[in-house]
Amino acid sequence: MTVLVVFDIEAVPDFEAARRLLAQPDSTPDAEIRRMLGERYSRDGEEPTTAFLKVPIYRIVSIAALNAKREVGGGPWTVTQIGSRSVGEKTEAEVLLGFVKALPVDGRGTGPILVTFGGNGFDLPLLRYRAFALGIPVPGLHSGSHRDYWHRFGHDHVDLCDVLSGYGASAKPSLAEMAALANIPVKIGGVQGSQVEAYVATGRLTEVADYCLTDVLATYCVFLRYGMVRGDLTPAHLDASMDSLRATVQKHVDRRPLLSAFLK
């Protein structure tokens, strides 16, 4: 049996670490720290208060994941689980450790294939930086899983953004662009990644978690479609894989209506 985990992370600046980095007292307001970080890391033309920062400066607020499996010889994928973990419900350490400990392991101790969209540059290194910051052992992300998730050109971690662009040989696509090509639902409900900081600041963590999960489902749809394009899935297997996704989503729409977009 081959098992994969598609995951995505939403994150906001770690103001405690930023104060230490910027040598600022604890009394310095978060808004001022955010402005200083933006001035430090913004590129030409970027608004400092919303500029994207270096990955080590972020902390995790939500991790969403989808688990799927299929027979070793091929065939359609079957979704076995979808869900998300967020701070508020748990501490950041519990969210991170819970995700890593939940990664399925087979009888030989081998972990799953990981699938992301842009994960080589953000999600995967963020897991390691936060484990470092929080003092958490995560052998499941390293040799403990018998996988090499850190080899950019390997097969244990599939970063679709990297793969589809030829590892940067052409301009890297966004998830929204790939979704538009295949009419895959994405950015449902009007939430954008640039709004996550504001949503978290106002306590809208449930919406952030739902947004994170919809990005995971969209990434999985891109993965399946690309699998069909490269011959790993037949069109019939793609249809069966999508049917399995819809059946799983159907079980969650009462609690998370935003997911209903994936039933169409």
Side-chain angles (χ1 to χ4, degrees):
M1 191 70 68
T2 302
V3 179
L4 64 81
V5 173
V6 185
F7 78 97
D8 184 53
I9 298 176
E10 299 304 329
V12 295
D14 179 350
F15 290 124
E16 289 187 17
R19 286 185 179 86
R20 294 191 290 270
L21 175 68
L22 300 169
Q24 293 296 307
D26 292 344
S27 58
T28 307
D30 288 353
E32 178 62 13
I33 295 296
R34 185 62 177 88
R35 183 192 63 77
M36 295 173 70
L37 288 172
E39 290 179 349
R40 183 184 181 106
Y41 294 114
S42 62
R43 299 171 183 172
D44 292 343
E46 272 192 305
E47 168 56 45
T49 57
T50 57
F52 192 77
L53 312 175
K54 279 189 173 181
V55 181
I57 305 301
Y58 285 94
R59 64 179 177 87
I60 295 167
V61 294
S62 184
I63 304 178
L66 173 153
N67 293 16
K69 63 181 181 180
R70 74 169 179 175
E71 297 299 327
V72 173
W77 289 93
T78 299
V79 177
T80 58
Q81 181 178 328
I82 62 173
S84 61
R85 294 177 173 86
S86 298
V87 297
E89 306 167 356
K90 302 176 182 295
T91 66
E92 183 189 10
E94 288 171 334
V95 169
L96 171 53
L97 201 55
F99 168 73
V100 175
K101 286 187 173 181
L103 293 175
V105 176
D106 66 18
R108 296 171 297 176
T110 302
I113 297 169
L114 298 181
V115 178
T116 63
F117 200 98
N120 274 331
F122 186 79
D123 304 82
L124 199 56
L126 181 60
L127 290 173
R128 184 152 64 182
Y129 285 131
R130 295 315 295 171
F132 181 88
L134 297 166
I136 297 172
V138 286
L141 293 178
H142 297 85
S143 57
S145 66
H146 303 292
R147 295 276 191 187
D148 186 358
Y149 297 130
W150 307 97
H151 178 32
R152 184 182 184 188
F153 307 105
H155 301 288
D156 293 338
H157 170 220
V158 180
D159 179 344
L160 289 164
C161 180
D162 237 0
V163 171
L164 289 164
S165 68
Y167 299 94
S170 65
K172 290 187 176 183
S174 67
L175 178 58
E177 288 165 343
M178 294 307 302
L181 292 179
N183 196 26
I184 295 168
V186 72
K187 311 303 178 189
I188 306 160
V191 183
Q192 300 290 329
S194 60
Q195 298 173 296
V196 168
E197 285 186 43
Y199 273 52
V200 172
T202 54
R204 299 169 69 177
L205 291 169
T206 299
E207 291 167 85
V208 171
D210 286 350
Y211 163 71
C212 191
L213 184 55
T214 60
D215 267 8
V216 164
L217 301 189
T219 297
Y220 182 61
C221 292
V222 172
F223 171 79
L224 294 178
R225 183 92 164 198
Y226 179 58
M228 183 272 294
V229 168
R230 64 189 184 90
D232 184 55
L233 287 173
T234 66
H237 289 159
L238 172 61
D239 290 343
S241 300
M242 289 300 297
D243 285 343
S244 174
L245 173 62
R246 293 186 191 100
T248 301
V249 168
Q250 184 67 63
K251 300 173 184 177
H252 294 263
V253 289
D254 286 344
R255 190 168 60 90
R256 302 179 112 159
L258 210 62
L259 303 185
S260 62
F262 291 91
L263 297 177
K264 301 173 182 177

